Amino acid sequence: MADVISKRARNLDPSVTLSLTAKAKELKAKGENVVGLTAGEPDFDTPDVIKEGAIEAIRRGETKYTPAEGIAPLRKAVAEAYSKRLGVSYTASEIVISHGAKHSIYNALFALMDPGDEVLILSPYWTSYPDMVKILGGKPRIVELTKKTDFKLTTEIFRKQLSRKKKPKALLFNSPSNPAGIVYRKEEIEAIAKIVLESGIALISDEIYEYLTYSGSEHYSPVSLLPQVKDQTVVITGVSKSYAMTGWRVGFAMAEKDVAYRMAAFQAHATGCPNSVSQWAALEALQNGADDRERMRGEFEKRKELFGKRLARIPSIWYPEPGGAFYYLVDVSKLYKKCNAKNSFEFCDKLLAEQGLVVIPGGAFGCDKMIRFSFAASENDINRALDRFENFARKYSS
Ligand code: PMP
Ligand code: GLU
């Protein structure tokens, strides 16, 4: 066969989070005794009120192309809701609706960086960030964060990165974070926003988990704490996690109007527009979904507590306490030698082979000593998964 694949495509592998999620579902469908705590995806069904909004939209015939940047009522509703929530003023011309927050981030990167530009990515990072930058010809500059700073970007680390000869074009920031569930405190975000403002670089603030915070943690957006940084910042959010709408694919971006214009221009050529029916469903979520959103958040909080209690009795592991999102990122490296795993991928292969448990290797997030569990699962699945993990850890602990 002729060798037609581009060099660029050859270097791109599928998303580990999505492929392992598909693998767990496939094994279960085959009737295998497998538990998967893989994708960051609420197990709840989309609330009925949202589904009804979508059904009505179909009946009204809202089944055609929409403007590339999204339907006017949704852009207006996002502008109004987030102006209120963030305490800064957004107009509809600063809002771009996209095919999931993933695509919003991709559009933002397109609008903010050129090939060769560097983008600061904080490790542990969400698996798609470095690939998105690379696809666009940019260079991910991975900033490794450790236990020492609670996996947070400090002002010292940030300033050091900015003092290097090549200035990064943007910082990709995510709080609450995937995969570690880190929630930055108010004053920490304020300090980072100040440095962004001084330095003139762009900030992409991925706030997709904004509503999922627990145990007293609170979400803050850099633009609310330092409104002057608004024009340098693209705030990303959406309905996937907060309203159990992952498969509907609707993300929101808030950006300075020229940046928003370019993001929409890119989207116009890349996908045409986001799905029409899903946009109407997202509008319903914004207008009438708050009770369901809070109910689901409360359930996640209970599951997080259950998960934490079960993890606390397992030997030879360590993990940062998550304040948000729905993940536990667990250091299992003390078990590697005894179970004969060279890295997190081999460790996860063994967990699956021996215990029928599928989780995500930390290597996919730039932290090869760790594995990621999602607690967006039923209590029953959490208990079954942790029975298996505990068996495994006890077997290989010294
Ligand atoms: N950012 C982070 C940190 C995520 O974990 C996800 C998960 N999918 C996304 C963005 C993308 O969300 P969406 O499903 O809306 O594309
Ligand atoms: N963001 C989720 C995760 O990390 C969903 C899968 C994906 O899009 O990566 O599991």
Side-chain angles (χ1 to χ4, degrees):
M1 193 186 107
D3 198 358
V4 293
I5 299 176
S6 68
K7 283 194 210 98
R8 195 173 44 187
R10 259 178 241 280
N11 286 327
L12 186 68
D13 290 314
S15 155
V16 176
T17 44
L18 290 177
S19 40
L20 279 177
T21 303
K23 184 173 175 175
K25 283 185 186 162
E26 190 189 310
L27 290 171
K28 262 196 246 169
K30 278 192 197 153
E32 299 209 15
N33 177 12
V34 157
V35 192
L37 295 187
T38 47
E41 156 159 86
D43 57 316
F44 300 113
D45 198 3
T46 303
D48 281 342
V49 60
I50 299 173
K51 286 186 185 170
E52 289 304 326
I55 292 165
E56 269 172 39
I58 294 174
R59 292 221 166 93
R60 280 201 312 275
E62 306 283 5
T63 54
K64 303 290 196 309
Y65 291 136
T66 76
E69 59 277 19
I71 54 172
L74 180 57
R75 293 170 72 215
K76 185 165 172 274
V78 171
E80 281 171 10
Y82 282 89
S83 294
K84 202 163 149 208
R85 179 161 165 78
L86 301 179
V88 284
S89 160
Y90 282 106
T91 60
S93 60
E94 294 168 296
I95 309 297
V96 183
I97 312 298
S98 298
H99 186 78
K102 192 178 263 185
H103 200 232
S104 306
I105 300 168
Y106 195 73
N107 293 341
L109 284 166
F110 173 82
L112 299 172
M113 52 153 276
D114 284 304
D117 282 344
E118 292 192 356
V119 176
L120 294 178
I121 293 179
L122 310 175
S123 162
Y125 48 75
W126 177 41
T127 192
S128 289
Y129 289 161
D131 284 311
M132 288 179 177
V133 172
K134 283 194 235 164
I135 291 168
L136 289 165
K139 295 190 181 138
R141 195 197 292 172
I142 308 293
V143 182
E144 233 172 87
L145 303 175
T146 62
K147 263 184 206 182
K148 237 171 54 189
T149 66
D150 296 325
F151 293 109
K152 285 177 178 168
L153 177 69
T154 62
T155 51
E156 292 73 26
I157 298 173
F158 193 12
R159 284 193 198 285
K160 205 164 150 204
Q161 287 296 331
L162 291 171
S163 70
R164 280 171 51 171
K165 212 159 126 208
K166 180 153 179 155
K167 190 172 165 186
K169 196 67 207 299
L171 165 68
L172 244 170
F173 185 73
N174 176 217
S175 175
S177 83
N178 178 3
I182 301 298
V183 182
Y184 283 66
R185 291 203 311 272
K186 190 176 178 183
E187 58 279 14
E188 293 167 336
I189 294 197
E190 201 167 14
I192 290 170
K194 274 188 189 147
I195 300 178
V196 168
L197 186 67
E198 275 165 26
S199 68
I201 69 167
L203 174 64
I204 299 176
S205 182
D206 178 355
E207 303 179 20
I208 190 73
Y209 297 101
E210 57 172 323
Y211 282 108
L212 297 173
T213 54
Y214 317 110
S215 327
S217 291
E218 264 184 77
H219 169 70
Y220 294 96
S221 174
V223 297
S224 352
L225 299 178
L226 191 68
Q228 302 93 302
V229 86
K230 177 180 166 244
D231 283 357
Q232 272 163 261
T233 304
V234 180
V235 175
I236 308 278
T237 185
V239 290
S240 300
K241 316 287 178 177
S242 311
Y243 300 92
M245 291 180 70
T246 46
W248 296 79
R249 313 306 300 130
V250 180
F252 309 147
M254 289 155 245
E256 188 277 324
K257 80 175 184 345
D258 291 340
V259 175
Y261 179 82
R262 300 294 163 190
M263 288 174 65
F266 177 68
Q267 178 160 289
H269 292 292
T271 67
C273 64
N275 175 299
S276 172
V277 176
S278 294
Q279 292 185 67
W280 290 98
L283 179 61
E284 195 65 41
L286 280 194
Q287 290 174 339
N288 295 310
D291 290 349
D292 284 305
R293 184 186 71 215
E294 189 43 37
R295 170 183 55 79
M296 293 188 277
R297 192 211 63 80
E299 286 301 317
F300 287 134
E301 178 143 26
K302 282 191 220 148
R303 292 161 180 203
K304 177 196 163 288
E305 296 303 320
L306 167 69
F307 212 103
K309 271 193 200 132
R310 295 279 328 247
L311 273 185
R313 64 183 207 217
I314 297 179
S316 308
I317 60 165
W318 176 86
Y319 48 90
E321 188 61 34
F326 30 54
Y327 309 105
Y328 269 91
L329 186 69
V330 179
D331 186 331
V332 287
S333 58
K334 280 194 183 155
L335 300 165
Y336 283 5
K337 212 169 159 192
K338 280 220 163 169
C339 76
N340 200 20
K342 282 196 280 302
N343 53 44
S344 58
F345 290 88
E346 288 192 9
F347 184 88
C348 288
D349 285 346
K350 283 182 197 291
L351 254 185
L352 173 59
E354 288 189 25
Q355 299 285 342
L357 174 60
V358 196
V359 295
I360 311 282
F365 309 109
C367 50
D368 199 42
K369 290 181 169 178
M370 320 205 45
I371 59 175
R372 190 194 77 176
F373 295 86
S374 161
F375 58 82
S378 69
E379 278 194 18
N380 186 39
D381 274 357
I382 290 173
N383 278 318
R384 285 172 67 219
L386 286 177
D387 287 345
R388 293 169 187 218
F389 181 53
E390 187 166 353
N391 285 342
F392 191 86
R394 291 204 184 279
K395 178 172 168 195
Y396 292 112
S397 313
S398 29

